[in-house]
């Protein structure tokens, strides 16, 4: 997903919760929502990476 799609997604999500036009009236909120979504995505990637290490039968001396 490119940055333009992420912006539109954030605007749609904010407006769905807070009302039409709210996101465009509060552009800082768009950035914060995108930042939060990116942190969740990164956390999930880290979690899944660690979980895959746990399931591997690799032993280090």
């Amino acid at each position: 997903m490119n940055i333009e799609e992420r912006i539109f997604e954030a605007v749609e999500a904010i407006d769905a919760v807070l009302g039409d036009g709210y996101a465009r009236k509060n552009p800082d909120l768009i950035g914060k929502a995108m930042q939060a979504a990116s942190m969740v995505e990164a956390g999930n990637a880290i979690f899944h990476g660690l979980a895959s290490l746990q399931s591997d039968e690799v032993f280090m001396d």
Side-chain angles (χ1 to χ4, degrees):
M1 180 179 302
N2 65 35
I3 190 71
E4 191 173 87
E5 291 169 334
R6 287 182 185 266
I7 292 170
F8 284 123
E9 188 176 85
V11 169
E12 286 178 10
I14 292 166
D15 285 352
V17 174
L18 300 173
D20 284 341
Y22 192 88
R24 285 178 176 80
K25 292 177 188 172
N26 298 279
D28 288 344
L29 185 56
I30 298 169
K32 296 293 183 182
M34 292 174 61
Q35 187 176 30
S38 294
M39 287 193 289
V40 168
E41 207 173 292
N44 284 334
I46 292 168
F47 173 80
H48 290 294
L50 291 173
S52 72
L53 288 176
Q54 182 181 13
S55 67
D56 287 345
E57 292 185 26
V58 175
F59 299 95
M60 301 187 91
D61 294 313

